[in-house]
Every structure is written in structure tokens, then in C-alpha cells.
Amino acid sequence: MSWNESGNQQDPWGKPGQKKPEQEQGSGQQQPEQKNRQSEQQPPDLEEVFNNLLKKIGGGKGNGGSNRSPSAQLPVGKLLPLGLILGAIVWGASGFYTIQEAERGVVTRFGKLHNIVLPGLNWKPTFIDEVLPVNIERVLELKTNGSMLTQDENMVLVEMTVQYRVEDPAKYKFNVNNPDDSLKQATDSALRYVIGHMTMDDILTTGRAVVREKTWNALRDIIKTYDMGLLVTDVNFQYARPPEEVKAAFDDAIKAQEDEQRLIREAEAYARGQEPIARGQAQRILEQASAYKEQVVLNAKGEVERFSKLLPEYKAAPEVMRERLYIQTMEKVMKNTPKLMMDGAHSNNLTVLPIDKLMQKPTASDATQTMVRPQVHQVPQITQPVQPVQPVPTQQEAEPVRKGRF
């Protein structure tokens, strides 16, 4: 294209791309038709739609909105969709939450219970749902104490501890206004009921386990009607003591009962220790008796057997056998006796000499005692004299028969 042809379409003294005034007038007549054709072929512009919307919103304030230049309205129209998209992303991301392993999530939708969420990563629509995490594995503890009246109209100071945990999170949050305080009041009521039906001596001494068991059962029945979603795991009876004015007397009574129980246990332990010993001794005596019985029986059988063998000899010579048996018996008897018996010739008295003392070496003290007091014992007089043994007539008269030896 030559410079002249291009100059016919463009003003050399104007801005680049600016046409001559004659061409602008001729082209101005064709612009409305071209704009209509282009509007039919192209989709509507979103910026124009938002600009029109903003003009309608700001129209009620007068002409202040119409005085704004298009360059001032253009950034607002472009940032509004981006702001909406960014807000939607932030809203969606804020709905993610995590429930711990020991917790359960109570989901409420517009303040009403919706469902229970398990542990893990979850999502909720923000500003619509609300999640209340509840720990169902943690064991909580509450204490109740006070002065209570017993059955025998005495005052006693009692303290009890209750351990519990949440069993149903939904009931724990919505069935009772303040479940922890309600449980404390129920515990106090159950404890007062049990203390009021027991005597003071039982409460302070042997009835502690009974108070704990009855209080636990009564508390379980009370919270069952409330349906608080709580589970009582343990009840501990801490202490029970009388008022300070009578505490010393009750301490003495308790100490006496403890001493009684201690002595009873010691006696039972001694009995358990002595019983096996006594049984062992009884068994030993029985075994000894059995052994002695067997010994006597066997000795008797041996004597019978011995006499059975001596019987033919006795029948052949009775006097000789009688004397022989007498002599053997006296030998057995006298060999264990360290004393010598001497028979008087003209009297029935027997003189006993201590041979064991005579055989010992005398000392100075023994000699003095012997000189002062001789040890001579006299046997009482024998009423029946010993009859001499008659000789047995035999063929040989010349041999005398021996009558005894001492």
C-alpha cells in the first residue's frame, strides 16, 4: 500500500489510527447498523450487567451515581465476583473440623440436635451446624460431704467421692440443664438417705462397706430416672467421724474394737500353728503305741517258742530246770543292779552294799561323809522265809546239788 492510499484513510497530523473528518462523518452513519449486528452475534457482557445492577442500587440516592466516571465503576464490577468466589472458598474451608479419638461430636442444626459424629476429619456447613465435642472416656470426680443425722439421732461428718464418665453425649448435653450439678445433688440425697437408716456405731466401725454399697445402689436408681447420660464407675467412702465434742470417746471405742479384732486374729493364728503340732504328736504317740504293741506281741511269741522248746527238758528233770530258770532270772535282774545284797545267817535282814560307790576312788569329801555316815541300808523283814530247794534224787548220791549262788 502506498503512502497516499494510507493517507486517504488516516490523518497525518492526527493521532495514530485517527481518520480524517470526512471519513469519520461517513462512517458515523454506518456505526449503528454495525453495533446492532455485533450485539446480535456476541453474548452479553458481564461487566455491563453488574454495572447496570450497581446503577440501579445507587439510583435511589440521586444523581451522585451518574456523576461517576466509567473508569471508577470498572474495578468494583471486576472485584465483586472474585470476592464472592473467595468468600465461598473460605466458607467451605472453615467447615472442616476434627474429632479426637476419645470424643464424640454432638451436631446441632439451628440449635436442634441433628446427629452424633464419630472421631476423625469431618465437615459441617458453617453458620448452619454447630459441633459440641464431648469426651466419653475421661473419668470425672466429684465430692460431697456434710453433717448428717443417723438413725439413733446422732450427728456424723461424712465425705464421699463419686467417679463417673459420660455414656451418652446427646443426653448429657440436652436432657439435663447441668448434669454435673444434678449428679452431685443426687449423690448427696442418696448418702443422706443411707446414713439416716444406720446407727452411728455401724457407720464408724464395721458398716463402712455397707454404706458404700447402699449409696451406690441408691445413686444408680436416682440417675436412672433423670436419664442424664452419665455412668457411675465407682463410689469411695472417704471418712466418717463424730463431732469434735465426742471424738475422743469414739476413738477409744474404735481402738478397743480394733484391739479385739487383733487379738482374735492372733488367737486364730496361734490355733492354726498349734493344731498341726498337736496332730503330729498324736500321730507319733499312736505310732509308738503300735510299735510297742508289735514288740510285746513278738516278745511274747518268742517266749512262748522258747518255753515250748524247754518243756521236754522240764518234763525230764523238773527240779533242775526250775533251779536253772531261777538262776538265769536272778542273773538278769541282778546284773543291772550296782549293789550287793548279803543274807544274814541267823536273821531275816538283808544288808545292801553300794558296790558302785566302793569301786570308785575315794576323795577327801567322800571319805569324810563315809566316816560320818556309813551307807548301810536294811531291807525290811521278810515275813515268808524262802524254802530251801529239795535235792532231786538221782543215781549218783555222792555229787551234792548246788542250791544257789549270790
Side-chain angles (χ1 to χ4, degrees):
M1 180 183 298
S2 61
W3 183 85
N4 294 326
E5 291 178 356
S6 61
N8 294 330
Q9 296 178 0
Q10 184 177 358
D11 189 2
W13 305 104
K15 295 180 180 180
Q18 184 178 359
K19 297 181 180 181
K20 296 180 179 180
E22 294 85 1
Q23 293 178 357
E24 291 179 357
Q25 292 178 359
S27 61
Q29 297 176 358
Q30 297 177 358
Q31 285 180 358
E33 295 179 358
Q34 293 177 358
K35 288 182 180 181
N36 292 332
R37 291 177 184 177
Q38 292 177 357
S39 61
E40 291 177 359
Q41 295 177 358
Q42 296 180 356
D45 191 1
L46 294 176
E47 295 182 3
E48 294 181 359
V49 173
F50 282 109
N51 291 331
N52 295 330
L53 181 61
L54 292 174
K55 290 179 180 180
K56 291 181 179 180
I57 293 174
K61 297 181 181 179
N63 297 328
S66 59
N67 295 331
R68 295 178 182 175
S69 61
S71 60
Q73 297 178 1
L74 184 59
V76 176
K78 291 182 179 180
L79 293 177
L80 183 60
L82 297 176
L84 293 176
I85 295 172
L86 183 60
I89 294 173
V90 173
W91 178 80
S94 64
F96 290 99
Y97 63 95
T98 303
I99 298 297
Q100 300 298 326
E101 182 66 25
E103 297 177 346
R104 296 294 183 271
V106 181
V107 181
T108 58
R109 179 161 294 176
F110 299 110
K112 184 179 179 181
L113 177 64
H114 182 61
N115 61 348
I116 304 297
V117 179
L118 298 178
L121 182 62
N122 300 276
W123 183 84
K124 64 177 179 63
T126 308
F127 307 118
I128 298 176
D129 290 354
E130 184 179 359
V131 181
L132 303 176
V134 179
N135 194 321
I136 63 173
E137 295 184 2
R138 182 178 58 185
V139 178
L140 304 175
E141 183 177 292
L142 63 87
K143 293 182 180 180
T144 179
N145 54 9
S147 300
M148 302 180 185
L149 188 65
T150 61
Q151 187 179 9
D152 51 357
E153 297 182 356
N154 289 319
M155 295 298 296
V156 61
L157 303 177
V158 182
E159 180 177 342
M160 179 165 286
T161 303
V162 178
Q163 296 180 354
Y164 66 98
R165 63 179 179 85
V166 179
E167 185 179 21
D168 191 335
K171 294 180 181 179
Y172 177 74
K173 286 294 184 181
F174 295 100
N175 281 16
V176 182
N177 185 19
N178 192 346
D180 297 328
D181 186 65
S182 299
L183 179 62
K184 184 176 182 180
Q185 294 180 6
T187 304
D188 186 73
S189 177
L191 183 59
R192 290 183 181 276
Y193 175 80
V194 173
I195 294 298
H197 288 78
M198 296 182 65
T199 61
M200 190 170 187
D201 293 337
D202 294 338
I203 296 171
L204 297 178
T205 56
T206 60
R208 298 174 61 88
V210 178
V211 173
R212 173 182 176 274
E213 188 67 24
K214 289 184 177 181
T215 304
W216 196 346
N217 295 332
L219 180 60
R220 189 183 296 113
D221 295 338
I222 293 174
I223 65 176
K224 184 178 181 180
T225 58
Y226 289 168
D227 198 16
M228 296 185 295
L230 297 177
L231 177 63
V232 177
T233 59
D234 194 10
V235 175
N236 297 321
F237 190 44
Q238 298 294 331
Y239 66 83
R241 59 172 181 262
E244 296 297 334
E245 292 78 8
V246 294
K247 186 176 182 299
F250 276 95
D251 290 342
D252 294 339
I254 293 174
K255 185 178 179 181
Q257 293 180 357
E258 291 177 353
D259 293 341
E260 178 186 4
Q261 295 297 325
R262 179 177 57 81
L263 293 176
I264 291 174
R265 295 190 192 96
E266 290 179 355
E268 292 176 352
Y270 178 77
R272 287 192 295 267
Q274 293 296 323
E275 184 177 358
I277 298 175
R279 289 181 178 179
Q281 292 178 354
Q283 188 67 25
R284 180 173 58 82
I285 293 172
L286 292 176
E287 295 294 336
Q288 290 178 353
S290 299
Y292 178 74
K293 174 183 176 182
E294 294 293 334
Q295 180 182 2
V296 171
V297 172
L298 293 177
N299 291 336
K301 289 181 179 180
E303 293 293 330
V304 170
E305 186 68 21
R306 186 171 67 85
F307 281 112
S308 297
K309 292 182 179 181
L310 291 176
L311 182 60
E313 300 293 336
Y314 181 78
K315 289 181 179 180
E319 297 296 333
V320 175
M321 186 58 63
R322 186 182 298 116
E323 183 181 2
R324 178 183 175 184
L325 294 176
Y326 173 75
I327 293 173
Q328 291 178 353
T329 303
M330 292 302 295
E331 285 180 352
K332 291 180 181 180
V333 172
M334 298 302 295
K335 72 178 181 179
N336 296 325
T337 303
K339 297 180 182 180
L340 181 63
M341 300 176 65
M342 300 178 62
D343 190 5
H346 301 286
S347 65
N348 294 328
N349 295 330
L350 294 178
T351 303
V352 180
L353 299 177
I355 301 301
D356 55 342
K357 299 294 184 181
L358 296 175
M359 295 298 294
Q360 294 179 359
K361 294 181 178 181
T363 58
S365 60
D366 294 339
T368 304
Q369 292 179 1
T370 304
M371 293 174 63
V372 174
R373 185 178 179 181
Q375 295 182 357
V376 178
H377 303 279
Q378 293 184 355
V379 178
Q381 186 176 4
I382 301 174
T383 57
Q384 295 182 0
V386 180
Q387 296 180 0
V389 180
Q390 298 294 332
V392 179
T394 60
Q395 294 180 359
Q396 299 177 357
E397 296 290 341
E399 295 180 3
V401 178
R402 187 174 55 184
K403 296 183 179 181
R405 66 181 180 182
F406 296 91

